[in-house]
Short mmCIF file of all heavy atoms in Angstrom, two decimals:
data_model
loop_
_atom_site.label_atom_id
_atom_site.label_comp_id
_atom_site.label_asym_id
_atom_site.label_seq_id
_atom_site.Cartn_x
_atom_site.Cartn_y
_atom_site.Cartn_z
N ALA A 396 -48.82 -32.62 -126.16
CA ALA A 396 -48.68 -31.37 -126.92
C ALA A 396 -47.56 -31.44 -127.95
O ALA A 396 -47.58 -30.74 -128.96
CB ALA A 396 -48.39 -30.23 -125.94
N ALA A 397 -46.55 -32.27 -127.71
CA ALA A 397 -45.42 -32.40 -128.62
C ALA A 397 -44.70 -33.68 -128.33
O ALA A 397 -44.80 -34.22 -127.23
CB ALA A 397 -44.46 -31.21 -128.47
N VAL A 398 -43.98 -34.21 -129.32
CA VAL A 398 -43.18 -35.41 -129.15
C VAL A 398 -41.74 -35.05 -129.53
O VAL A 398 -41.48 -34.52 -130.61
CB VAL A 398 -43.69 -36.57 -130.00
CG1 VAL A 398 -42.77 -37.79 -129.83
CG2 VAL A 398 -45.11 -36.91 -129.64
N GLY A 399 -40.83 -35.30 -128.62
CA GLY A 399 -39.41 -35.04 -128.87
C GLY A 399 -38.61 -36.31 -128.62
O GLY A 399 -39.14 -37.40 -128.55
N THR A 400 -37.31 -36.13 -128.47
CA THR A 400 -36.40 -37.25 -128.19
C THR A 400 -35.71 -37.00 -126.86
O THR A 400 -35.10 -35.95 -126.66
CB THR A 400 -35.34 -37.39 -129.30
OG1 THR A 400 -35.99 -37.56 -130.54
CG2 THR A 400 -34.46 -38.60 -129.02
N ASP A 401 -35.85 -37.95 -125.93
CA ASP A 401 -35.25 -37.81 -124.63
C ASP A 401 -33.72 -38.05 -124.70
O ASP A 401 -33.20 -38.52 -125.74
CB ASP A 401 -35.89 -38.80 -123.66
CG ASP A 401 -35.88 -38.31 -122.22
OD1 ASP A 401 -35.10 -37.37 -121.90
OD2 ASP A 401 -36.65 -38.85 -121.39
N GLY A 402 -33.02 -37.80 -123.61
CA GLY A 402 -31.58 -38.01 -123.61
C GLY A 402 -31.16 -39.43 -123.86
O GLY A 402 -30.07 -39.69 -124.37
N CYS A 403 -32.04 -40.38 -123.51
CA CYS A 403 -31.72 -41.79 -123.72
C CYS A 403 -32.07 -42.26 -125.14
O CYS A 403 -31.80 -43.41 -125.49
CB CYS A 403 -32.47 -42.64 -122.70
SG CYS A 403 -34.27 -42.66 -122.94
N GLY A 404 -32.72 -41.39 -125.92
CA GLY A 404 -33.09 -41.73 -127.28
C GLY A 404 -34.53 -42.12 -127.46
O GLY A 404 -35.02 -42.25 -128.59
N ALA A 405 -35.28 -42.33 -126.33
CA ALA A 405 -36.67 -42.72 -126.42
C ALA A 405 -37.55 -41.51 -126.74
O ALA A 405 -37.22 -40.38 -126.41
CB ALA A 405 -37.13 -43.34 -125.11
N PRO A 406 -38.71 -41.75 -127.41
CA PRO A 406 -39.65 -40.66 -127.63
C PRO A 406 -40.10 -40.06 -126.30
O PRO A 406 -40.26 -40.75 -125.29
CB PRO A 406 -40.81 -41.35 -128.35
CG PRO A 406 -40.18 -42.53 -129.01
CD PRO A 406 -39.13 -43.01 -128.05
N LEU A 407 -40.33 -38.75 -126.32
CA LEU A 407 -40.63 -37.99 -125.12
C LEU A 407 -41.89 -37.18 -125.36
O LEU A 407 -41.97 -36.40 -126.33
CB LEU A 407 -39.44 -37.08 -124.80
CG LEU A 407 -39.56 -36.13 -123.61
CD1 LEU A 407 -39.74 -36.91 -122.32
CD2 LEU A 407 -38.33 -35.26 -123.53
N MET A 408 -42.90 -37.33 -124.50
CA MET A 408 -44.19 -36.69 -124.69
C MET A 408 -44.33 -35.48 -123.76
O MET A 408 -44.10 -35.58 -122.56
CB MET A 408 -45.30 -37.69 -124.41
CG MET A 408 -45.52 -38.73 -125.49
SD MET A 408 -44.21 -39.95 -125.52
CE MET A 408 -44.69 -40.98 -126.92
N ALA A 409 -44.69 -34.35 -124.33
CA ALA A 409 -44.88 -33.12 -123.59
C ALA A 409 -46.30 -32.97 -123.06
O ALA A 409 -47.27 -33.19 -123.80
CB ALA A 409 -44.53 -31.91 -124.45
N ILE A 410 -46.41 -32.62 -121.79
CA ILE A 410 -47.69 -32.31 -121.14
C ILE A 410 -47.45 -31.15 -120.18
O ILE A 410 -46.32 -30.77 -119.92
CB ILE A 410 -48.26 -33.53 -120.38
CG1 ILE A 410 -47.22 -34.11 -119.41
CG2 ILE A 410 -48.77 -34.60 -121.35
CD1 ILE A 410 -47.71 -35.24 -118.54
N GLY A 411 -48.52 -30.60 -119.64
CA GLY A 411 -48.39 -29.55 -118.67
C GLY A 411 -48.04 -30.10 -117.31
O GLY A 411 -48.24 -31.29 -117.01
N LEU A 412 -47.54 -29.24 -116.43
CA LEU A 412 -47.20 -29.69 -115.07
C LEU A 412 -48.46 -30.11 -114.29
O LEU A 412 -48.41 -31.06 -113.51
CB LEU A 412 -46.48 -28.58 -114.32
CG LEU A 412 -45.06 -28.25 -114.81
CD1 LEU A 412 -44.58 -26.95 -114.20
CD2 LEU A 412 -44.13 -29.39 -114.50
N THR A 413 -49.60 -29.46 -114.56
CA THR A 413 -50.81 -29.89 -113.90
C THR A 413 -51.18 -31.29 -114.36
O THR A 413 -51.60 -32.13 -113.57
CB THR A 413 -51.96 -28.88 -114.22
OG1 THR A 413 -51.56 -27.58 -113.81
CG2 THR A 413 -53.23 -29.28 -113.49
N GLY A 414 -51.01 -31.56 -115.65
CA GLY A 414 -51.27 -32.91 -116.16
C GLY A 414 -50.32 -33.91 -115.58
O GLY A 414 -50.70 -35.06 -115.26
N LEU A 415 -49.05 -33.52 -115.37
CA LEU A 415 -48.07 -34.42 -114.79
C LEU A 415 -48.45 -34.75 -113.33
O LEU A 415 -48.38 -35.93 -112.93
CB LEU A 415 -46.68 -33.79 -114.83
CG LEU A 415 -45.53 -34.60 -114.28
CD1 LEU A 415 -45.35 -35.95 -115.03
CD2 LEU A 415 -44.22 -33.81 -114.33
N ALA A 416 -48.86 -33.78 -112.57
CA ALA A 416 -49.30 -34.03 -111.19
C ALA A 416 -50.53 -34.91 -111.19
O ALA A 416 -50.67 -35.82 -110.35
CB ALA A 416 -49.58 -32.69 -110.50
N ARG A 417 -51.46 -34.66 -112.13
CA ARG A 417 -52.65 -35.52 -112.20
C ARG A 417 -52.29 -36.96 -112.51
O ARG A 417 -52.88 -37.90 -112.00
CB ARG A 417 -53.62 -35.01 -113.30
CG ARG A 417 -54.51 -33.86 -112.89
CD ARG A 417 -55.65 -33.67 -113.89
NE ARG A 417 -55.19 -33.45 -115.22
CZ ARG A 417 -55.17 -32.23 -115.82
NH1 ARG A 417 -55.59 -31.15 -115.15
NH2 ARG A 417 -54.76 -32.09 -117.05
N ALA A 418 -51.30 -37.12 -113.38
CA ALA A 418 -50.86 -38.48 -113.76
C ALA A 418 -50.35 -39.23 -112.54
O ALA A 418 -50.70 -40.39 -112.29
CB ALA A 418 -49.80 -38.42 -114.84
N PHE A 419 -49.48 -38.60 -111.75
CA PHE A 419 -48.94 -39.26 -110.57
C PHE A 419 -50.06 -39.54 -109.55
O PHE A 419 -50.08 -40.61 -108.94
CB PHE A 419 -47.84 -38.40 -109.94
CG PHE A 419 -46.48 -38.68 -110.50
CD1 PHE A 419 -46.23 -38.50 -111.84
CD2 PHE A 419 -45.46 -39.13 -109.70
CE1 PHE A 419 -44.98 -38.78 -112.40
CE2 PHE A 419 -44.19 -39.40 -110.23
CZ PHE A 419 -43.96 -39.24 -111.58
N ARG A 420 -50.98 -38.60 -109.41
CA ARG A 420 -52.12 -38.81 -108.53
C ARG A 420 -52.92 -40.01 -108.98
O ARG A 420 -53.36 -40.83 -108.18
CB ARG A 420 -52.99 -37.57 -108.48
CG ARG A 420 -54.25 -37.67 -107.66
CD ARG A 420 -55.01 -36.35 -107.64
NE ARG A 420 -56.17 -36.49 -106.77
CZ ARG A 420 -57.36 -36.95 -107.16
NH1 ARG A 420 -57.52 -37.36 -108.43
NH2 ARG A 420 -58.38 -37.03 -106.31
N SER A 421 -53.14 -40.14 -110.30
CA SER A 421 -53.92 -41.27 -110.81
C SER A 421 -53.26 -42.61 -110.56
O SER A 421 -53.95 -43.61 -110.38
CB SER A 421 -54.21 -41.08 -112.30
OG SER A 421 -53.04 -41.35 -113.10
N PHE A 422 -51.93 -42.63 -110.52
CA PHE A 422 -51.24 -43.90 -110.29
C PHE A 422 -51.39 -44.36 -108.85
O PHE A 422 -51.61 -45.55 -108.60
CB PHE A 422 -49.75 -43.74 -110.64
CG PHE A 422 -49.43 -44.04 -112.10
CD1 PHE A 422 -50.12 -43.41 -113.11
CD2 PHE A 422 -48.43 -44.92 -112.42
CE1 PHE A 422 -49.84 -43.67 -114.45
CE2 PHE A 422 -48.15 -45.21 -113.74
CZ PHE A 422 -48.85 -44.59 -114.78
N VAL A 423 -51.30 -43.44 -107.87
CA VAL A 423 -51.41 -43.88 -106.47
C VAL A 423 -52.84 -44.23 -106.12
O VAL A 423 -53.08 -45.00 -105.18
CB VAL A 423 -50.83 -42.85 -105.50
CG1 VAL A 423 -49.36 -42.56 -105.79
CG2 VAL A 423 -51.62 -41.55 -105.52
N LEU A 424 -53.82 -43.66 -106.85
CA LEU A 424 -55.21 -43.92 -106.54
C LEU A 424 -55.85 -44.98 -107.47
O LEU A 424 -57.05 -45.27 -107.34
CB LEU A 424 -56.03 -42.62 -106.66
CG LEU A 424 -55.63 -41.50 -105.69
CD1 LEU A 424 -56.50 -40.27 -105.92
CD2 LEU A 424 -55.74 -41.96 -104.24
N ALA A 425 -55.06 -45.53 -108.37
CA ALA A 425 -55.58 -46.52 -109.33
C ALA A 425 -56.05 -47.78 -108.62
O ALA A 425 -55.60 -48.07 -107.50
CB ALA A 425 -54.51 -46.83 -110.37
N GLU A 426 -56.90 -48.51 -109.28
CA GLU A 426 -57.39 -49.77 -108.73
C GLU A 426 -56.25 -50.77 -108.55
O GLU A 426 -55.39 -50.90 -109.44
CB GLU A 426 -58.45 -50.36 -109.65
CG GLU A 426 -59.77 -49.63 -109.64
CD GLU A 426 -60.46 -49.73 -108.29
OE1 GLU A 426 -60.43 -50.83 -107.66
OE2 GLU A 426 -61.01 -48.71 -107.84
N PRO A 427 -56.22 -51.47 -107.40
CA PRO A 427 -55.20 -52.52 -107.23
C PRO A 427 -55.23 -53.52 -108.38
O PRO A 427 -56.31 -53.93 -108.82
CB PRO A 427 -55.59 -53.16 -105.91
CG PRO A 427 -56.30 -52.07 -105.15
CD PRO A 427 -57.06 -51.30 -106.22
N GLY A 428 -54.07 -53.89 -108.86
CA GLY A 428 -53.98 -54.82 -109.97
C GLY A 428 -53.94 -54.18 -111.33
O GLY A 428 -53.56 -54.84 -112.31
N SER A 429 -54.30 -52.89 -111.43
CA SER A 429 -54.19 -52.21 -112.71
C SER A 429 -52.73 -51.95 -113.01
O SER A 429 -51.87 -51.98 -112.13
CB SER A 429 -54.94 -50.87 -112.65
OG SER A 429 -54.35 -49.98 -111.71
N ALA A 430 -52.42 -51.69 -114.27
CA ALA A 430 -51.03 -51.43 -114.67
C ALA A 430 -50.47 -50.24 -113.89
O ALA A 430 -49.32 -50.26 -113.41
CB ALA A 430 -50.93 -51.20 -116.17
N GLU A 431 -51.28 -49.21 -113.77
CA GLU A 431 -50.82 -48.00 -113.11
C GLU A 431 -50.53 -48.24 -111.61
O GLU A 431 -49.49 -47.80 -111.11
CB GLU A 431 -51.88 -46.88 -113.26
CG GLU A 431 -52.06 -46.40 -114.68
CD GLU A 431 -52.86 -47.35 -115.56
OE1 GLU A 431 -53.48 -48.29 -115.04
OE2 GLU A 431 -52.86 -47.12 -116.78
N ARG A 432 -51.40 -48.95 -110.97
CA ARG A 432 -51.18 -49.22 -109.54
C ARG A 432 -50.01 -50.18 -109.34
O ARG A 432 -49.23 -50.05 -108.38
CB ARG A 432 -52.46 -49.80 -108.93
CG ARG A 432 -52.37 -50.08 -107.45
CD ARG A 432 -52.12 -48.82 -106.60
NE ARG A 432 -52.20 -49.14 -105.20
CZ ARG A 432 -53.34 -49.11 -104.48
NH1 ARG A 432 -54.49 -48.78 -105.06
NH2 ARG A 432 -53.33 -49.44 -103.21
N ARG A 433 -49.87 -51.13 -110.23
CA ARG A 433 -48.72 -52.07 -110.13
C ARG A 433 -47.40 -51.31 -110.22
O ARG A 433 -46.46 -51.59 -109.48
CB ARG A 433 -48.81 -53.13 -111.21
CG ARG A 433 -49.90 -54.17 -110.96
CD ARG A 433 -50.08 -55.07 -112.18
NE ARG A 433 -48.85 -55.84 -112.50
CZ ARG A 433 -48.66 -56.54 -113.60
NH1 ARG A 433 -49.62 -56.54 -114.55
NH2 ARG A 433 -47.53 -57.19 -113.79
N VAL A 434 -47.33 -50.33 -111.13
CA VAL A 434 -46.11 -49.52 -111.25
C VAL A 434 -45.89 -48.73 -109.97
O VAL A 434 -44.77 -48.72 -109.42
CB VAL A 434 -46.19 -48.59 -112.47
CG1 VAL A 434 -45.02 -47.61 -112.46
CG2 VAL A 434 -46.18 -49.39 -113.75
N ALA A 435 -46.91 -48.05 -109.50
CA ALA A 435 -46.78 -47.23 -108.28
C ALA A 435 -46.34 -48.11 -107.10
O ALA A 435 -45.47 -47.73 -106.33
CB ALA A 435 -48.08 -46.53 -107.97
N ASP A 436 -46.98 -49.26 -106.96
CA ASP A 436 -46.66 -50.16 -105.82
C ASP A 436 -45.22 -50.66 -105.90
O ASP A 436 -44.52 -50.76 -104.88
CB ASP A 436 -47.62 -51.31 -105.78
CG ASP A 436 -49.03 -50.91 -105.31
OD1 ASP A 436 -49.18 -49.75 -104.85
OD2 ASP A 436 -49.95 -51.73 -105.43
N ALA A 437 -44.75 -51.03 -107.10
CA ALA A 437 -43.39 -51.52 -107.25
C ALA A 437 -42.37 -50.42 -106.96
O ALA A 437 -41.36 -50.65 -106.28
CB ALA A 437 -43.18 -52.07 -108.67
N MET A 438 -42.64 -49.22 -107.44
CA MET A 438 -41.72 -48.12 -107.19
C MET A 438 -41.63 -47.79 -105.70
O MET A 438 -40.54 -47.54 -105.16
CB MET A 438 -42.14 -46.89 -107.97
CG MET A 438 -42.00 -47.01 -109.49
SD MET A 438 -42.65 -45.58 -110.40
CE MET A 438 -41.50 -44.27 -109.90
N ARG A 439 -42.77 -47.81 -105.03
CA ARG A 439 -42.81 -47.48 -103.60
C ARG A 439 -42.21 -48.59 -102.74
O ARG A 439 -41.63 -48.30 -101.70
CB ARG A 439 -44.27 -47.16 -103.17
CG ARG A 439 -44.77 -45.88 -103.84
CD ARG A 439 -46.16 -45.56 -103.40
NE ARG A 439 -47.18 -46.50 -103.89
CZ ARG A 439 -48.49 -46.31 -103.75
NH1 ARG A 439 -48.93 -45.23 -103.11
NH2 ARG A 439 -49.33 -47.19 -104.22
N ALA A 440 -42.34 -49.81 -103.19
CA ALA A 440 -41.77 -50.93 -102.44
C ALA A 440 -40.29 -51.10 -102.64
O ALA A 440 -39.59 -51.61 -101.77
CB ALA A 440 -42.48 -52.23 -102.85
N HIS A 441 -39.77 -50.63 -103.79
CA HIS A 441 -38.35 -50.80 -104.09
C HIS A 441 -37.74 -49.49 -104.62
O HIS A 441 -37.21 -49.42 -105.72
CB HIS A 441 -38.20 -51.91 -105.16
CG HIS A 441 -38.84 -53.19 -104.78
ND1 HIS A 441 -38.24 -54.08 -103.88
CD2 HIS A 441 -40.01 -53.75 -105.16
CE1 HIS A 441 -39.04 -55.12 -103.72
NE2 HIS A 441 -40.12 -54.96 -104.48
N PRO A 442 -37.80 -48.43 -103.80
CA PRO A 442 -37.35 -47.12 -104.28
C PRO A 442 -35.86 -47.07 -104.62
O PRO A 442 -35.45 -46.25 -105.45
CB PRO A 442 -37.69 -46.19 -103.13
CG PRO A 442 -37.74 -47.08 -101.92
CD PRO A 442 -38.29 -48.38 -102.42
N GLU A 443 -35.07 -47.94 -103.99
CA GLU A 443 -33.65 -47.94 -104.29
C GLU A 443 -33.38 -48.39 -105.71
O GLU A 443 -32.36 -48.02 -106.31
CB GLU A 443 -32.88 -48.85 -103.32
CG GLU A 443 -33.14 -50.34 -103.46
CD GLU A 443 -34.45 -50.82 -102.87
OE1 GLU A 443 -35.26 -49.99 -102.37
OE2 GLU A 443 -34.68 -52.06 -102.90
N TYR A 444 -34.32 -49.11 -106.35
CA TYR A 444 -34.19 -49.50 -107.73
C TYR A 444 -34.65 -48.39 -108.67
O TYR A 444 -34.26 -48.33 -109.85
CB TYR A 444 -34.93 -50.80 -108.03
CG TYR A 444 -34.15 -52.02 -107.60
CD1 TYR A 444 -34.27 -52.52 -106.30
CD2 TYR A 444 -33.26 -52.66 -108.48
CE1 TYR A 444 -33.52 -53.62 -105.90
CE2 TYR A 444 -32.52 -53.76 -108.08
CZ TYR A 444 -32.66 -54.23 -106.78
OH TYR A 444 -31.92 -55.33 -106.39
N VAL A 445 -35.51 -47.51 -108.18
CA VAL A 445 -36.00 -46.38 -108.98
C VAL A 445 -34.91 -45.32 -109.12
O VAL A 445 -34.78 -44.65 -110.15
CB VAL A 445 -37.26 -45.77 -108.33
CG1 VAL A 445 -37.73 -44.54 -109.11
CG2 VAL A 445 -38.38 -46.80 -108.27
N ALA A 446 -34.11 -45.13 -108.07
CA ALA A 446 -33.07 -44.12 -108.08
C ALA A 446 -31.75 -44.75 -107.61
O ALA A 446 -31.00 -45.25 -108.42
CB ALA A 446 -33.49 -42.97 -107.17
N GLY A 447 -31.50 -44.71 -106.31
CA GLY A 447 -30.26 -45.29 -105.78
C GLY A 447 -30.17 -45.02 -104.31
O GLY A 447 -31.05 -44.37 -103.73
N THR A 448 -29.10 -45.45 -103.68
CA THR A 448 -29.00 -45.34 -102.23
C THR A 448 -28.70 -43.93 -101.76
O THR A 448 -28.87 -43.63 -100.58
CB THR A 448 -27.91 -46.30 -101.70
OG1 THR A 448 -26.69 -46.01 -102.35
CG2 THR A 448 -28.29 -47.74 -101.95
N ARG A 449 -28.29 -43.05 -102.64
CA ARG A 449 -27.97 -41.68 -102.24
C ARG A 449 -28.83 -40.65 -103.00
O ARG A 449 -28.35 -39.57 -103.29
CB ARG A 449 -26.48 -41.42 -102.52
CG ARG A 449 -25.53 -42.18 -101.63
CD ARG A 449 -24.07 -41.99 -102.01
NE ARG A 449 -23.74 -42.69 -103.25
CZ ARG A 449 -23.32 -43.93 -103.31
NH1 ARG A 449 -23.14 -44.65 -102.19
NH2 ARG A 449 -23.06 -44.52 -104.47
N ARG A 450 -30.08 -40.97 -103.25
CA ARG A 450 -30.91 -40.11 -104.07
C ARG A 450 -32.23 -39.68 -103.37
O ARG A 450 -32.85 -40.49 -102.65
CB ARG A 450 -31.27 -40.84 -105.35
CG ARG A 450 -30.03 -41.30 -106.20
CD ARG A 450 -29.63 -40.25 -107.17
NE ARG A 450 -30.66 -40.04 -108.14
CZ ARG A 450 -30.96 -40.89 -109.16
NH1 ARG A 450 -30.25 -42.02 -109.30
NH2 ARG A 450 -31.91 -40.62 -110.02
N PRO A 451 -32.64 -38.43 -103.54
CA PRO A 451 -33.84 -37.94 -102.87
C PRO A 451 -35.12 -38.72 -103.15
O PRO A 451 -35.95 -38.88 -102.27
CB PRO A 451 -33.94 -36.48 -103.36
CG PRO A 451 -32.55 -36.08 -103.63
CD PRO A 451 -31.88 -37.33 -104.20
N ASP A 452 -35.33 -39.19 -104.38
CA ASP A 452 -36.52 -39.98 -104.66
C ASP A 452 -36.57 -41.21 -103.75
O ASP A 452 -37.63 -41.55 -103.21
CB ASP A 452 -36.56 -40.44 -106.13
CG ASP A 452 -36.99 -39.36 -107.08
OD1 ASP A 452 -37.74 -38.47 -106.67
OD2 ASP A 452 -36.58 -39.39 -108.26
N THR A 453 -35.43 -41.86 -103.56
CA THR A 453 -35.36 -43.01 -102.69
C THR A 453 -35.68 -42.64 -101.25
O THR A 453 -36.48 -43.30 -100.57
CB THR A 453 -33.97 -43.66 -102.74
OG1 THR A 453 -33.69 -44.05 -104.09
CG2 THR A 453 -33.87 -44.88 -101.85
N TRP A 454 -35.05 -41.55 -100.77
CA TRP A 454 -35.30 -41.11 -99.38
C TRP A 454 -36.77 -40.85 -99.17
O TRP A 454 -37.34 -41.29 -98.15
CB TRP A 454 -34.51 -39.86 -99.08
CG TRP A 454 -33.05 -39.95 -99.31
CD1 TRP A 454 -32.27 -41.07 -99.39
CD2 TRP A 454 -32.16 -38.83 -99.53
NE1 TRP A 454 -30.96 -40.73 -99.64
CE2 TRP A 454 -30.85 -39.38 -99.74
CE3 TRP A 454 -32.32 -37.45 -99.59
CZ2 TRP A 454 -29.74 -38.57 -99.96
CZ3 TRP A 454 -31.23 -36.63 -99.83
CH2 TRP A 454 -29.94 -37.19 -100.01
N LEU A 455 -37.40 -40.10 -100.09
CA LEU A 455 -38.77 -39.70 -99.89
C LEU A 455 -39.72 -40.88 -99.90
O LEU A 455 -40.61 -41.01 -99.04
CB LEU A 455 -39.18 -38.68 -100.97
CG LEU A 455 -40.57 -38.05 -100.84
CD1 LEU A 455 -40.70 -37.34 -99.51
CD2 LEU A 455 -40.80 -37.06 -101.99
N MET A 456 -39.57 -41.80 -100.87
CA MET A 456 -40.47 -42.94 -100.93
C MET A 456 -40.22 -43.91 -99.79
O MET A 456 -41.14 -44.59 -99.35
CB MET A 456 -40.32 -43.64 -102.29
CG MET A 456 -40.95 -42.85 -103.43
SD MET A 456 -41.04 -43.77 -104.99
CE MET A 456 -39.37 -43.66 -105.58
N SER A 457 -39.01 -43.95 -99.26
CA SER A 457 -38.70 -44.82 -98.14
C SER A 457 -39.25 -44.29 -96.83
O SER A 457 -39.66 -45.08 -95.96
CB SER A 457 -37.17 -45.02 -98.01
OG SER A 457 -36.63 -45.63 -99.15
N GLU A 458 -39.28 -42.98 -96.67
CA GLU A 458 -39.54 -42.40 -95.35
C GLU A 458 -40.93 -41.78 -95.22
O GLU A 458 -41.35 -41.48 -94.10
CB GLU A 458 -38.46 -41.37 -95.04
CG GLU A 458 -37.06 -42.02 -94.97
CD GLU A 458 -35.97 -41.03 -94.59
OE1 GLU A 458 -36.23 -40.15 -93.76
OE2 GLU A 458 -34.84 -41.15 -95.16
N VAL A 459 -41.65 -41.57 -96.32
CA VAL A 459 -43.02 -41.08 -96.24
C VAL A 459 -43.91 -42.14 -96.88
O VAL A 459 -43.99 -42.21 -98.12
CB VAL A 459 -43.19 -39.73 -96.95
CG1 VAL A 459 -44.63 -39.24 -96.82
CG2 VAL A 459 -42.23 -38.68 -96.34
N PRO A 460 -44.50 -43.01 -96.10
CA PRO A 460 -45.26 -44.16 -96.64
C PRO A 460 -46.29 -43.76 -97.68
O PRO A 460 -47.02 -42.78 -97.52
CB PRO A 460 -45.92 -44.76 -95.40
CG PRO A 460 -45.03 -44.34 -94.27
CD PRO A 460 -44.51 -43.00 -94.63
N GLY A 461 -46.31 -44.54 -98.76
CA GLY A 461 -47.32 -44.35 -99.81
C GLY A 461 -47.00 -43.27 -100.84
O GLY A 461 -47.78 -43.03 -101.75
N THR A 462 -45.81 -42.67 -100.70
CA THR A 462 -45.43 -41.57 -101.62
C THR A 462 -44.81 -42.14 -102.90
O THR A 462 -43.98 -43.05 -102.86
CB THR A 462 -44.45 -40.63 -100.94
OG1 THR A 462 -45.08 -40.03 -99.81
CG2 THR A 462 -43.99 -39.51 -101.88
N LEU A 463 -45.19 -41.56 -104.03
CA LEU A 463 -44.62 -41.87 -105.35
C LEU A 463 -43.84 -40.64 -105.80
O LEU A 463 -44.42 -39.52 -105.86
CB LEU A 463 -45.72 -42.21 -106.36
CG LEU A 463 -45.26 -42.59 -107.76
CD1 LEU A 463 -44.51 -43.90 -107.74
CD2 LEU A 463 -46.46 -42.66 -108.71
N SER A 464 -42.58 -40.80 -106.11
CA SER A 464 -41.73 -39.64 -106.46
C SER A 464 -40.81 -39.99 -107.61
O SER A 464 -40.20 -41.07 -107.64
CB SER A 464 -40.91 -39.25 -105.22
OG SER A 464 -40.06 -38.17 -105.51
N LYS A 465 -40.69 -39.07 -108.56
CA LYS A 465 -39.76 -39.30 -109.69
C LYS A 465 -39.31 -37.96 -110.25
O LYS A 465 -40.12 -37.15 -110.66
CB LYS A 465 -40.45 -40.11 -110.78
CG LYS A 465 -39.52 -40.48 -111.92
CD LYS A 465 -38.54 -41.59 -111.50
CE LYS A 465 -37.42 -41.78 -112.51
NZ LYS A 465 -36.45 -40.67 -112.51
N MET A 466 -38.00 -37.78 -110.26
CA MET A 466 -37.42 -36.57 -110.86
C MET A 466 -37.14 -36.83 -112.33
O MET A 466 -37.15 -37.97 -112.78
CB MET A 466 -36.15 -36.15 -110.14
CG MET A 466 -35.04 -37.18 -110.14
SD MET A 466 -33.99 -37.26 -111.64
CE MET A 466 -33.19 -35.67 -111.56
N GLY A 467 -36.91 -35.74 -113.03
CA GLY A 467 -36.56 -35.82 -114.43
C GLY A 467 -35.46 -34.81 -114.74
O GLY A 467 -35.26 -33.84 -114.01
N ALA A 468 -34.74 -35.05 -115.79
CA ALA A 468 -33.68 -34.13 -116.22
C ALA A 468 -34.27 -32.75 -116.49
O ALA A 468 -35.48 -32.57 -116.65
CB ALA A 468 -32.98 -34.65 -117.47
N GLU A 469 -33.39 -31.76 -116.56
CA GLU A 469 -33.78 -30.37 -116.72
C GLU A 469 -34.67 -29.90 -115.57
O GLU A 469 -35.53 -29.03 -115.72
CB GLU A 469 -34.49 -30.12 -118.07
CG GLU A 469 -33.58 -30.28 -119.27
CD GLU A 469 -32.41 -29.29 -119.29
OE1 GLU A 469 -32.65 -28.09 -119.03
OE2 GLU A 469 -31.29 -29.71 -119.52
N ALA A 470 -34.42 -30.49 -114.36
CA ALA A 470 -35.02 -30.03 -113.13
C ALA A 470 -36.54 -30.12 -113.14
O ALA A 470 -37.25 -29.11 -112.90
CB ALA A 470 -34.54 -28.61 -112.80
N VAL A 471 -37.05 -31.30 -113.42
CA VAL A 471 -38.48 -31.59 -113.30
C VAL A 471 -38.66 -32.53 -112.13
O VAL A 471 -37.84 -33.43 -111.88
CB VAL A 471 -39.00 -32.26 -114.58
CG1 VAL A 471 -40.47 -32.62 -114.44
CG2 VAL A 471 -38.82 -31.34 -115.79
N GLN A 472 -39.75 -32.36 -111.40
CA GLN A 472 -40.08 -33.26 -110.29
C GLN A 472 -41.59 -33.43 -110.18
O GLN A 472 -42.34 -32.49 -110.34
CB GLN A 472 -39.56 -32.66 -108.97
CG GLN A 472 -39.82 -33.52 -107.75
CD GLN A 472 -38.88 -34.71 -107.64
OE1 GLN A 472 -37.66 -34.58 -107.72
NE2 GLN A 472 -39.45 -35.91 -107.46
#
Side-chain angles (χ1 to χ4, degrees):
V398 178
T400 303
D401 209 343
C403 68
L407 177 63
M408 286 72 182
I410 52 177
L412 291 168
T413 303
L415 181 60
R417 279 196 301 258
F419 272 60
R420 178 178 182 274
S421 74
F422 272 53
V423 301
L424 298 179
E426 287 295 320
S429 65
E431 293 76 13
R432 182 62 174 272
R433 288 171 62 191
V434 171
D436 287 350
M438 292 175 67
R439 294 181 291 187
H441 306 282
E443 70 282 4
Y444 280 88
V445 176
T448 55
R449 292 175 287 271
R450 302 270 296 285
D452 282 332
T453 301
W454 305 339
L455 185 57
M456 288 190 282
S457 297
E458 299 181 37
V459 181
T462 298
L463 181 68
S464 179
K465 186 73 192 73
M466 60 82 67
E469 292 298 315
V471 177
Q472 181 76 51

